[in-house]
Amino acid sequence: MAATTPIKPFSSEEAQGILHHLQQPAVFLNMTCDWPVLHWTTEHLSGCLGDRLIRFRLGRKRETNAPLFETQCSYVEARMTQFLSWTQGQTDVGPFSEYPYSEYWAYADYKYIALLFQDQPRMFEDVKWLDFGFEGRDGRESTLWIGTGGANTPCHMDSYGCNLVLQVQGRKRWHLFPPGDTSNLYPTRIPYEESSVFSQLDVLRPDLKRFPAFQGARAHIVTLQPGQVLYVPRHWWHYVESVDPITVSVNSWIELDVDHVARVSEAVTKTVVWAIKGAKSDDNTDDWLNPTEEGNVSHTENIQYLNLAVMACAQKKRDLRHGKVTQDFRDAHPVKRDSSGQIKTHTDNISNSEPFLVPFGPHLIPVSPPLKVETKMTSKDEGINSFSTRVDTSQEDCTDSSEGADATSLHQGKHAYGSGAEQRCLQQRAWLTA
């Protein structure tokens, strides 16, 4: 008997319409049941990657009241087979030998699938963002994340676009904060990474004596299960941590028309940073430069990039005056581009003049602050408050839709007081010159 194609709760056109109008993070369920990428477990990836070396970031498993930035981590290059052996408790596993599994977590983050599997292009087709209305977008425009329990990305905000994240293996917990909480999160550009603005505090164990405004932050917390897709809106802050012993996820950043203003700001920041970096000084170390910002960029190159950003922004404003694009993301279509970076023609017929009701329900769960909060003080140090909140997602994805809304529950928590630089640069230049 031939296998039947699962019926998805939203068509690609409907999913695109939902994304256009969402103003908060949300989780899509039962949209990826037939995606081959769901087979990308660490064991499967180990077989696909063979002897290819992968760079892992390692951090100590310890509770502090300060974020662990990438500049403070150790790094090793290892094969996936070595990584798996290490997670199974073996000690003599090459580059991991100096890092006991009981004391460290490991994270292979920001791995561009287009580079990782450049000799296996058929694997790109395993990722099907077309189901969310993005024609032609697959693994080529996606990144892979592999981690162990406790592996995390410091709280930060992405300057460009919005984000779609598919959980493949294990669970990840997301702590999200709206753009309005920016001042409460004490933003900093040190360590510097283009397109990322970091928070100075540890959102899990905040030092409220140093960062009192965090008491007003509105944390939206959700645990993402395999098969589920999280939508992260533009400029939402997020801290992400692996919950299970091994996690795998795939994401795609969706560029937006409104990004051109942010690109000018980032180009100015980059020019200033590298000008300071180029100055001769005994104190000019790499401690404040994120490892993703590798290599030296000349002042001339930065000025050229700034000029491109300004020209692209000016062109967008001219297009706005002539009605060619819309300015608000709620009414704007994410930019679709082909493999050469050229903008594609929109094919949907979504009307922006008619009221749109986001169909929240068993297949689309909003990530909202809960009504009831469980908070517990865990710090013994005066002036350092630490909170622990129980968060869980009990819904298994790709279940029979006939189970109804009662079978779907997404439990969220909230604090009571309250992403390969060279590849990225190539992409940005393509966007600016397209």
Side-chain angles (χ1 to χ4, degrees):
M1 186 164 137
T4 58
T5 302
I7 299 176
K8 300 184 180 181
F10 309 111
S11 67
S12 59
E13 292 79 10
E14 290 169 337
Q16 184 82 169
I18 292 170
L19 293 175
H20 291 164
H21 292 85
L22 275 173
Q23 300 180 50
Q24 68 183 97
V27 178
F28 288 83
L29 287 79
N30 304 310
M31 286 291 290
T32 63
C33 299
D34 59 344
W35 288 25
V37 70
L38 290 181
H39 299 293
W40 286 22
T41 62
T42 48
E43 291 79 7
H44 177 79
L45 291 171
S46 178
C48 295
L49 292 169
D51 292 334
R52 188 181 183 93
L53 294 178
I54 308 297
R55 193 185 197 202
F56 289 87
R57 175 165 61 94
L58 296 105
R60 279 192 176 274
K61 296 178 181 179
R62 60 186 178 188
E63 291 189 359
T64 66
N65 66 308
L68 183 65
F69 291 119
E70 295 171 41
T71 53
Q72 302 165 317
C73 293
S74 301
Y75 293 83
V76 299
E77 291 192 351
R79 299 189 300 273
M80 281 295 297
T81 52
Q82 294 173 316
F83 168 74
L84 288 174
S85 297
W86 181 68
T87 62
Q88 294 165 3
Q90 297 184 27
T91 56
D92 187 15
V93 281
F96 288 106
S97 300
E98 299 178 12
Y99 305 94
Y101 177 69
S102 60
E103 300 177 20
Y104 287 85
W105 50 256
Y107 208 6
D109 49 4
Y110 298 101
K111 304 306 176 189
Y112 288 93
I113 293 176
L115 297 178
L116 205 58
F117 298 108
Q118 56 186 333
D119 56 342
Q120 303 176 64
R122 292 188 63 179
M123 292 190 68
F124 302 155
E125 301 172 7
D126 289 0
V127 186
K128 301 181 178 294
W129 297 117
L130 173 62
D131 286 350
F132 287 85
F134 298 103
E135 183 182 354
R137 185 178 289 267
D138 55 20
R140 292 180 183 85
E141 297 84 19
S142 306
T143 50
L144 179 68
W145 308 69
I146 305 169
T148 62
N152 64 82
T153 303
C155 185
H156 69 285
M157 178 265 289
D158 297 318
S159 303
Y160 309 140
C162 59
N163 195 1
L164 285 174
V165 187
L166 166 68
Q167 194 61 28
V168 175
Q169 179 181 3
R171 297 170 299 158
K172 273 187 175 178
R173 186 161 296 147
W174 287 72
H175 300 244
L176 301 117
F177 301 84
D181 275 342
T182 294
S183 61
N184 296 329
L185 294 168
Y186 298 85
T188 178
R189 294 314 298 261
I190 300 175
Y192 170 75
E193 176 181 287
E194 185 178 355
S195 79
S196 294
V197 182
F198 291 97
S199 169
Q200 297 182 54
L201 55 84
D202 182 342
V203 300
L204 299 185
R205 293 164 288 273
D207 182 348
L208 295 181
K209 188 173 183 179
R210 288 186 61 199
F211 308 110
F214 184 68
Q215 296 181 78
R218 298 158 291 169
H220 299 56
I221 307 177
V222 62
T223 301
L224 200 63
Q225 303 267 6
Q228 298 177 348
V229 174
L230 172 67
Y231 167 70
V232 182
R234 183 174 184 263
H235 287 178
W236 273 70
W237 292 79
H238 47 283
Y239 166 85
V240 191
E241 183 173 358
S242 295
V243 175
D244 289 325
I246 293 182
T247 63
V248 177
S249 54
V250 171
N251 85 295
S252 186
W253 286 286
I254 312 297
E255 63 272 18
L256 305 171
D257 288 335
V258 292
D259 288 342
H260 284 78
V261 174
R263 292 190 189 284
V264 174
S265 177
E266 285 298 308
V268 171
T269 303
K270 185 175 183 178
T271 301
V272 172
V273 165
W274 284 104
I276 297 174
K277 179 64 182 172
K280 294 182 178 179
S281 171
D282 294 337
D283 298 328
N284 194 353
T285 66
D286 287 337
D287 293 343
W288 52 271
L289 196 64
N290 226 33
T292 53
E293 298 297 320
E294 298 174 346
N296 294 316
V297 183
S298 70
H299 184 69
T300 300
E301 289 177 303
N302 283 325
I303 292 298
Q304 290 174 343
Y305 181 71
L306 175 58
N307 287 334
L308 286 172
V310 171
M311 288 188 293
C313 185
Q315 182 60 51
K316 279 295 176 183
K317 290 187 175 182
R318 287 192 292 268
D319 291 343
L320 280 170
R321 287 198 297 268
H322 292 87
K324 294 181 181 180
V325 294
T326 50
Q327 198 164 13
D328 195 315
F329 171 56
R330 293 192 300 272
D331 301 322
H333 297 273
V335 179
K336 304 177 188 177
R337 298 176 183 266
D338 57 26
S339 58
S340 64
Q342 297 301 310
I343 296 176
K344 292 186 175 183
T345 302
H346 296 304
T347 57
D348 55 86
N349 297 313
I350 297 173
S351 172
N352 295 319
S353 61
E354 298 178 1
F356 186 94
L357 182 63
V358 177
F360 291 124
H363 306 294
L364 179 64
I365 314 295
V367 182
S368 305
L371 297 177
K372 185 178 181 180
V373 182
E374 298 179 14
T375 305
K376 179 178 68 175
M377 284 282 200
T378 59
S379 176
K380 298 180 181 179
D381 299 326
E382 182 180 358
I384 300 176
N385 292 325
S386 178
F387 307 99
S388 63
T389 307
R390 183 169 59 86
V391 188
D392 186 30
T393 306
S394 60
Q395 169 68 13
E396 290 187 6
D397 203 6
C398 299
T399 58
D400 188 346
S401 60
S402 64
E403 294 177 2
D406 292 340
T408 305
S409 60
L410 194 68
H411 302 291
Q412 302 149 359
K414 178 193 174 191
H415 291 305
Y417 297 100
S419 283
E422 181 180 355
Q423 179 72 8
R424 188 183 308 158
C425 183
L426 291 174
Q427 289 180 338
Q428 291 169 351
R429 289 178 185 273
W431 294 337
L432 290 171
T433 57

